[in-house]
Amino acid sequence: MKAVDYLLCGGFAVALPIGQLLFKWAALYQAQIAGPMPWKLLKNFPLMGAFGWYGLTALVWFYILTRTPLSTAYAFSILGSALVPLMAWVIFKEPASWKFAVGYGLMLAGFLVILQARPS
């Protein structure tokens, strides 16, 4: 992989938890909207933003896959998965424990092992 491929994959890994934060924000916003469900969905602008964000990240993912093997690129999703609970803890004040930290530390160790095993 070239340096630009690492940057693209790393950017995608950060884009995934941002999408999750947008969906969480939309869920919290949904509770503040009155009316029937179809109306609430149409008025939920954070939800529309989350859908748009995922559409853009899907296009980036497609571009990444034109340059990088799926088995290597997908390993970067581990990084994104590790960021979600951290961001939820910081932004939404959701509870976290040392067990989360250990579990995600193991995931990150697995990510490093995968990168070392990637084909040249």
Side-chain angles (χ1 to χ4, degrees):
M1 279 178 50
K2 297 177 183 174
V4 68
D5 298 328
Y6 284 107
L7 288 172
L8 284 167
C9 289
F12 182 78
V14 173
L16 289 176
I18 290 171
Q20 292 301 314
L21 293 175
L22 288 171
F23 275 115
K24 177 64 176 185
W25 179 31
L28 295 172
Y29 187 78
Q30 182 82 3
Q32 301 172 11
I33 304 171
M37 183 58 75
W39 176 251
K40 290 172 78 167
L41 291 174
L42 288 173
K43 295 281 291 179
N44 192 331
F45 301 116
L47 181 61
M48 300 306 156
F51 287 145
W53 184 258
Y54 266 100
L56 288 173
T57 57
L59 292 173
V60 171
W61 183 244
F62 176 74
Y63 179 67
I64 288 169
L65 293 179
T66 66
R67 305 174 52 95
T68 308
L70 175 61
S71 58
T72 302
Y74 194 73
F76 280 83
S77 67
I78 293 170
L79 295 177
S81 296
L83 288 174
V84 171
L86 177 64
M87 294 170 111
W89 176 67
V90 170
I91 295 171
F92 296 111
K93 309 297 184 224
E94 292 186 2
S97 70
W98 66 269
K99 292 178 183 179
F100 274 100
V102 169
Y104 285 104
L106 292 170
M107 287 175 61
L108 292 175
F111 170 73
L112 294 174
V113 169
I114 290 168
L115 283 186
Q116 294 300 315
R118 73 182 190 285
S120 311

